[in-house]
Amino acid sequence: MEMLIGPKGRIWYPNSRELSNYLGYHGGDFDVVSYCIRNLGFAAVAIFPSYTRIRFQPALLPAACLQRVLEIILYRAPQRVVLERAATLFSPLEVFHNLNDAVARLRTLQIATPGEVEPSGSPTIVSLSLDRLQDPKRAGMQAAFEMWKKARRYANTQTVTQIATNSLFGGGAVAWMPGQDRCLIEAWPQTYGKYGKLSYDSLLGRDVRDLPDSRYILPTTRSYFSVVQDQAPRLELIEALVTHPDGSMFWSRYERLLLPWRTGASDTFVSSMPALRLVRNC
């Protein structure tokens, strides 16, 4: 299966009527995939049983296109990734057996696109199937999920406090969602220390919209509202560019399990259980 990713991140299929209408040409006398890659800032993703091939032109790979490509390969986690660079005579093919290395290489090559030198501060968030909890490497998440089901999604104030400190839940964050239109920090992840010169404890009870790094926090907390609205758990993969207080940056990739806990007719708390997959300096 092969798909085309447009410069704005839209997925197109070769030889489809929609793509022909977009291009304004309905003839079949040229290689539409190569044309889109070389001239229009598209990337092509072909999925095979044992590998995934990505064709693109480094000098013409917009950030939105790259982000959608990353979402696809992060979700599918292929055994091998083959990068094929168009308009390149020297070593146009690269084969990666490690997904992390393939992602890092794509980000490095994408910098060649004019006007897009700065990496995006918006995290990439990919929804994963809860079936993945059956994997042994997610045994901790599975245990937390089973406890949530056993509690029938309900908790009291004391239970919420225990969730924030219980190692079973991975020392993740807990947020209070009063009225389903606000997201207030009830507990920070235990791995956090200071918020610049401020301690994280000093920001407890604050709405996420009022936090100093709301540019990063807000996109990652949108799923909290979805979880509350659906009253259903969610498993996600997040890749984000994180900035240290000293200005240095690093890529962080982690999974998280979001669980909604009802404490009343309209009150819900959301716990976030993280599982770190990768930290890479920029």
Side-chain angles (χ1 to χ4, degrees), residues 73 137-138:
I73 64 173
K137 71 179 181 181
R138 299 182 181 89

Coordinates of all heavy atoms in Angstrom, one line a residue, residues 73 137-138:
I73 N 4.6 6.3 10.8 CA 5.6 5.2 11.1 C 5.7 5.0 12.6 O 6.0 3.9 13.1 CB 7.0 5.6 10.6 CG1 7.5 6.9 11.2 CG2 6.9 5.7 9.1 CD1 9.0 7.2 10.7
K137 N 5.8 -5.4 27.7 CA 6.6 -4.2 28.0 C 5.6 -3.1 28.6 O 6.1 -2.1 29.1 CB 7.3 -3.7 26.8 CG 6.5 -3.1 25.7 CD 7.4 -2.6 24.6 CE 6.7 -1.9 23.5 NZ 7.5 -1.4 22.4
R138 N 4.3 -3.4 28.5 CA 3.3 -2.4 29.0 C 2.6 -3.1 30.2 O 1.4 -2.7 30.5 CB 2.4 -2.0 27.9 CG 3.0 -1.2 26.8 CD 2.0 -0.8 25.7 NE 2.7 -0.1 24.6 CZ 3.1 -0.7 23.5 NH1 2.9 -2.0 23.4 NH2 3.7 0.0 22.6

